[in-house]
Amino acid sequence: MKIFSRSMVGLCRRVGSTQPRPRRWPNGVVRRDAPLMDCLYRSWDMQGNTEVGNENKSKMQSHNPLPCGTTKCVDVDTEKMRKNATKRVTYNYPLMEKKWFPKIYKNSSHRDGAIYTNWLFKNEWPDVDITDRSETLLEPMMFSEATENCVPDPENCMLHFPEDMLQFMSVMLADAPVSSGSTQLYGYIAVRDGRDWMLNYVFNHSRDDPITVQQGDLIGMMGPKRGIEMSPPVLIEFDVRIKNGELEEDDLELIDGAIACTLRKPWKPIKYHIAGNCGAVDMTLAFVRYAVEATIEVVISEAQIGVGLSLSSFVYIAMDFEEIQLFQGTTVQSFSQARYVVAVTSGTEMLLKFKVGNNNVERCLSFKAKQHGCDSQQMKLELATLSVKVTWSTI
């Protein structure tokens, strides 16, 4: 994730066009006040077999997804929190901890230019100009401010609808040439969706600015820049290399190519195993039904330089809170700002968990997802003061 040194933008600042684009009704929804979680009453296994029946449906209707039950800063045991969130409803997901091995398009490598001349690929993705390497121009928070057309009111807006969205939960170095040593990585992982089919970077580092990880480590995500619309399929491109000396021609290919992501059902996050010539990367992805875009801005002040900081977001997916590791490292200066974009099911709670310093005390803030507006909270800790603003928007 990028770290910014700019001061915090004004509360509820509107970014982008002042005219909302026409919205469509999400599939299966007739009214804005239809139950948002009805899609979770039935889960499907990988062959389409029903996993959850009517007996569990009644349990689910009475299930409270928020274990913290507060919008204030509290001490929290994260593991206990997650267990409490599911103690009333338990399901078995046979492939939950397993990996998927998605098909990498043949002749989709970028470094040798094969993907740019692959006419079969162009026929399958007619809306994508694969030669256009521009980053998406669409910004987050485009519809964060309600308009006079938001009837009957901003909290029950019938103009701007939640959308099915794709969420990157984590990216991990699953296999490396040297399993016990450090590896320097650079390159990119990007998504193209139907909003503009331009590159929306999840990871992007130049050869002059590589990251250092070991096998089994999470690869820090810098994005996405804005919410990813899950109108299947979504195209995921990647070209990640291992720095191996002074000359670029000596570098090793980790992964290079493109895959289609066709997640269509609410499910536990799924781990995609992408294997390359000299290693492999695991991308954990989740389908988030009826989601809104949460832009999280964190300002750190009154902190000592070099103090350890961990920030995670917990979002409610398929009957449980699932963790997205947003940042793990140290504070680089006494005042800094970071921004992250997360997909959250409208009407559910998003939890932000902070850990500062080397102690075991964790703090949690809770925010309820909505279509427009923003929420701000401040947390004063012994080693730092954290100010958090979450801006809500449809996409």
Side-chain angles (χ1 to χ4, degrees), residues 150-315:
C150 294
V151 294
D153 55 67
E155 292 189 2
N156 300 282
C157 176
M158 299 181 67
L159 177 66
H160 304 94
F161 294 103
E163 298 276 2
D164 296 342
M165 295 173 65
L166 177 68
Q167 176 65 50
F168 272 73
M169 308 299 291
S170 67
V171 180
M172 176 186 292
L173 179 60
D175 190 18
V178 181
S179 59
S180 59
S182 297
T183 302
Q184 288 188 310
L185 302 181
Y186 69 95
Y188 64 87
I189 299 171
V191 182
R192 295 182 188 263
D193 65 4
R195 294 186 66 193
D196 64 0
W197 294 115
M198 308 300 284
L199 292 169
N200 188 359
Y201 289 103
V202 176
F203 170 82
N204 190 16
H205 281 263
S206 67
R207 191 176 190 276
D208 295 331
D209 182 32
I211 64 168
T212 302
V213 295
Q214 294 185 345
Q215 182 172 310
D217 286 351
L218 292 178
I219 299 173
M221 298 184 294
M222 59 163 287
K225 175 183 178 181
R226 43 87 176 168
I228 304 168
E229 185 177 31
M230 191 67 244
S231 295
V234 168
L235 182 66
I236 302 177
E237 293 186 56
F238 41 84
D239 180 7
V240 181
R241 300 181 69 80
I242 300 172
K243 192 172 182 178
N244 187 41
E246 297 297 327
L247 301 177
E248 185 172 351
E249 51 263 33
D250 296 329
D251 295 343
L252 305 176
E253 173 197 306
L254 181 61
I255 54 173
D256 187 1
I259 63 172
C261 178
T262 58
L263 298 177
R264 301 185 67 93
K265 298 288 185 181
W267 194 258
K268 304 294 289 183
I270 295 175
K271 186 176 292 184
Y272 279 35
H273 186 78
I274 314 295
N277 289 338
C278 297
V281 169
D282 285 344
M283 304 178 192
T284 302
L285 309 174
F287 176 101
V288 186
R289 176 62 62 90
Y290 302 150
V292 293
E293 177 189 79
T295 302
I296 306 165
E297 295 175 275
V298 181
V299 171
I300 307 169
S301 59
E302 303 175 12
Q304 301 174 12
I305 298 177
V307 172
L309 173 65
S310 173
L311 170 60
S312 296
S313 173
F314 286 81
V315 295

Side-chain angles (χ1 to χ4, degrees), residues 21-27 29-33 36 143 151 156-165 229 290-293 346 371-372 393-395:
R21 65 186 176 122
R23 311 303 292 164
R24 65 177 185 273
W25 289 97
N27 293 337
V29 177
V30 179
R31 294 173 52 92
R32 170 63 186 87
D33 58 355
L36 290 176
F143 301 98
V151 294
N156 300 282
C157 176
M158 299 181 67
L159 177 66
H160 304 94
F161 294 103
E163 298 276 2
D164 296 342
M165 295 173 65
E229 185 177 31
Y290 302 150
V292 293
E293 177 189 79
S346 182
Q371 289 154 280
H372 304 291
S393 174
T394 53
I395 61 173

